[in-house]
């Protein structure tokens, strides 16, 4: 959830209205006529369904949604969440944010989102499979899923298992459809998934923040050295996004000084070995009392400890009017959706903190989902055609260099130089390029507005410009 769009207790508007407010704030800096702006904002199709599923000896009526926010590019794309909080407004807001997120990272899809109003913990695996397969068949019946129509993905409460059930249901209702695997992403690798998807969001967070830290002018303003190495980092949440982000920061020379989980936080200014922290948590069930670190009993206070970079990667609204002024980080990277309230945003912007918005920073997942879709449509693993060719070519170039110089490289260097790209190498490289390119698009937008707005508003203007041009060029049906 985007923080400036997630309503807080003091805000009297819905989540979707919040997204519209953020949109309007940014739209004034774009050139589009009001009709185009209205069309960009509107949710194109909303499908609310109710269907019966036998649970034990009772029939339960399941409430579910699929919203396609924008058809300016097809297919639409967005996750499916299972949560008791699912409602039409939330699904519409999340679908809208997917449109803008895809535009920012140049993923050529419209935005969508789906949800089933259940608590998955209340059902057996068998019951969840029935609920999921019936949802998939409802989508097929209404033409709300398909490789060129709408391509869902995992979200809160769903994962590769649910994606497998959905693709299997789709394929059995569409026999012979050669591209059936491309109807959904986030599948297990054995079912057409792509290598690198699991860590993609955390890796994207790392690439994005690394780019911020490599921008000399901005680092000078913050009084920080250029580069990731030696930067002190605090991460909240050791789940999919937080753990992988922390791991990439650690592997690349940053110092993880603090970690916050729901049971509490730990802090060590000398730095924590993130692998050992995770091992320790696995064996003891908690990060608390990690050797050498200070315990922070109130987990949220971990966010207020000294550091250069803070990565909230757990929950919404964790930085708010109550604690924003005490945050010491100079850079905040929104790994989670909506970790800052609008009030916090304002306080931190006034303090000169760089807040890197979720809409850009956690887009690694959808970017790699796009790669998975491409893989499914091409029916070939990335790297299969060119890996051996590259290795042979590298080998002959190296042989020429060695014979010309009369020197030999070391065995380790040889392995590195000869290595042709595997699927995961290409996925990482595509993601890295995306995160770097998109960051500079947002930064240019910021500079073109003389830094009058925050990075979130600048990111929105980038998205509106792309979707607006797309609608203009599509033309309006007479
Ligand atoms: P996750 O469930 O894997 O991890 C969340 C972690 O936060 C867990 O380890 C949990 O124990 C921890 N946590 C819970 N309460 C906490 C608290 N009070 N203090 C500190 N830690 C707490 O979820 P995830 O997939 O990593 O998603 C995290 C956030 O990132 C969500 O906002 C999600 O919407 C967003 N996001 C995820 C992806 C993705 O690809 N997974 C993509 C985009 C955005």
């Amino acid at each position: 959830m985007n923080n400036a769009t997630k309503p807080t207790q003091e805000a009297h508007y819905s989540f979707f209205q919040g997204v519209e407010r953020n949109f309007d704030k940014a739209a004034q800096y774009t050139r589009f006529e009001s009709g185009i702006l209205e069309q960009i904002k509107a949710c194109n199709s909303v499908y609310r369904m109710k269907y019966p599923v036998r649970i034990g000896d009772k029939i339960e009526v399941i409430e579910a949604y699929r919203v396609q926010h924008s058809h300016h590019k097809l297919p639409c794309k967005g996750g499916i969440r299972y949560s008791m909080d699912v409602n039409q407004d939330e699904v519409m807001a999340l679908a809208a944010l997917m449109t803008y997120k895809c535009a920012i990272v140049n993923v050529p899809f419209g935005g969508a989102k789906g949800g089933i109003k259940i608590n998955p913990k209340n059902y057996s695996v068998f019951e969840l499979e029935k609920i999921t397969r019936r949802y998939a068949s409802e989508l097929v019946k209404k033409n709300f899923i398909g490789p060129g129509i709408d391509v869902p993905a995992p979200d809160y409460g769903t994962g590769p298992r649910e994606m497998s059930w959905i693709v299997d249901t789709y394929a059995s209702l569409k026999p012979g459809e050669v591209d059936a695997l491309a109807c959904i992403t986030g599948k297990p690798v054995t079912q057409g998934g792509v290598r690198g998807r699991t860590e993609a969001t955390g890796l994207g967070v790392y690439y994005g923040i690394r780019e911020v830290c490599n921008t000399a002018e901005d680092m000078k303003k913050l009084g920080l050295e250029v580069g990731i190495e030696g930067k002190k980092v605090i991460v909240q949440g050791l789940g999919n996004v937080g753990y992988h982000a922390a791991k990439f920061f650690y592997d690349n020379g940053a110092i993880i000084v603090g970690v916050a989980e729901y049971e509490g936080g730990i802090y060590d200014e000398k730095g924590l070995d993130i692998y050992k922290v995770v091992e320790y948590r696995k064996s003891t069930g908690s990060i608390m009392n990690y050797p050498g670190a200070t315990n922070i009993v109130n987990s949220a206070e971990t966010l207020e400890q000294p550091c250069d970079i803070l990565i909230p990667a757990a929950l919404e609204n964790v930085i708010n009017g109550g604690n924003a002024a005490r945050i010491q980080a100079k850079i905040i990277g929104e790994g989670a959706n909506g970790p800052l309230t609008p009030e916090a945003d304002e306080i931190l912007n006034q303090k000169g903190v760089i807040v890197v918005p979720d809409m850009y920073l956690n887009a690694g997942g959808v970017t790699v989902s796009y790669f998975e879709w491409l893989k499914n449509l091409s029916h070939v693993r990335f790297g299969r055609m060119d890996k051996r060719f590259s290795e042979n070519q590298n080998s002959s170039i190296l042989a020429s260099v060695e014979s010309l110089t009369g020197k030999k490289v070391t065995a380790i260097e040889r392995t590195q130089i000869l290595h042709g790209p595997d699927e995961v190498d290409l996925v990482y490289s595509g993601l890295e390029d995306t995160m770097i390119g998109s960051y500079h698009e947002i930064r240019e937008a910021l500079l073109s507005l003389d830094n009058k707005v925050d990075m979130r508003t600048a990111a929105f203007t980038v998205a509106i410009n792309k979707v607006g041009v797309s609608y203009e060029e599509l033309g309006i049906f007479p």
Side-chain angles (χ1 to χ4, degrees), residues 23 30-32 36-42 44 69-73 96-104 106-107 109-111 459-476:
F23 180 98
T30 68
R31 60 165 180 80
F32 297 102
I36 293 279
L37 293 172
E38 280 309 307
Q39 176 55 47
I40 300 172
K41 270 202 292 189
N44 290 178
H69 171 258
S70 179
H71 295 144
H72 77 288
K73 291 206 188 296
L97 290 172
M98 282 304 298
T99 295
Y100 308 130
K101 188 179 278 195
C102 288
I104 287 169
N106 297 310
V107 166
F109 296 148
F460 251 106
T461 65
V462 169
I464 295 170
N465 282 329
K466 290 182 191 171
V467 184
V469 167
S470 188
Y471 270 117
E472 274 183 345
E473 287 173 356
L474 273 174
I476 304 297

Side-chain angles (χ1 to χ4, degrees), residues 404-475:
L404 284 169
T405 59
K407 288 180 184 161
K408 295 270 181 211
V409 296
T410 65
I412 293 173
E413 285 166 341
R414 175 171 302 277
T415 310
Q416 281 170 349
I417 293 168
L418 297 195
H419 178 75
D422 286 315
E423 180 164 89
V424 74
D425 300 317
L426 293 166
V427 164
Y428 279 17
S429 157
L431 176 60
E432 182 177 16
D433 190 56
T434 301
M435 294 308 292
I436 293 174
S438 300
Y439 176 69
H440 287 287
E441 284 183 37
I442 296 170
R443 194 165 180 276
E444 270 165 39
L446 202 54
L447 294 180
S448 74
L449 295 168
D450 299 324
N451 280 308
K452 277 192 304 229
V453 299
D454 56 16
M455 201 183 285
R456 192 184 313 283
T457 306
F460 251 106
T461 65
V462 169
I464 295 170
N465 282 329
K466 290 182 191 171
V467 184
V469 167
S470 188
Y471 270 117
E472 274 183 345
E473 287 173 356
L474 273 174

Side-chain angles (χ1 to χ4, degrees), residues 1 81 94 101 113 154-157 197-202 235-244 259-264 281 299-300 303 312-316 318 334-339 358 361-366:
M1 243 165 261
R81 63 169 56 179
L94 292 167
K101 188 179 278 195
K113 204 82 185 186
D155 195 69
Y156 192 87
R197 175 66 182 83
T198 309
E199 65 274 35
T201 307
V235 177
Q236 183 190 39
L238 281 182
N240 178 283
V241 180
Y243 167 65
H244 287 108
V259 170
E261 254 296 338
Y262 68 85
E263 67 268 22
R281 187 167 190 245
S299 176
L303 309 183
L315 309 166
E316 293 145 19
V318 290
E334 293 188 324
N337 279 319
D358 46 9
L361 196 66
N362 68 29
V366 71

Side-chain angles (χ1 to χ4, degrees), residues 104-105 199-216 218-219 222 226-228 231 233 241 244-246 248-249 252 309-311 331-335 354-365 367 428-443 455:
I104 287 169
V105 288
E199 65 274 35
T201 307
L203 181 58
V205 167
Y206 165 72
Y207 284 144
I209 296 295
R210 187 189 66 184
E211 209 45 31
V212 174
C213 292
N214 282 343
T215 308
D218 294 348
M219 289 305 100
L222 295 178
V226 172
I228 277 289
K231 291 273 185 306
V233 181
V241 180
H244 287 108
F248 289 111
F249 278 113
N252 288 283
I309 301 169
L310 174 60
I311 307 289
I331 300 168
I332 298 181
E334 293 188 324
I354 295 184
V355 177
V356 189
D358 46 9
M359 223 198 294
Y360 155 70
L361 196 66
N362 68 29
T367 303
Y428 279 17
S429 157
L431 176 60
E432 182 177 16
D433 190 56
T434 301
M435 294 308 292
I436 293 174
S438 300
Y439 176 69
H440 287 287
E441 284 183 37
I442 296 170
R443 194 165 180 276
M455 201 183 285

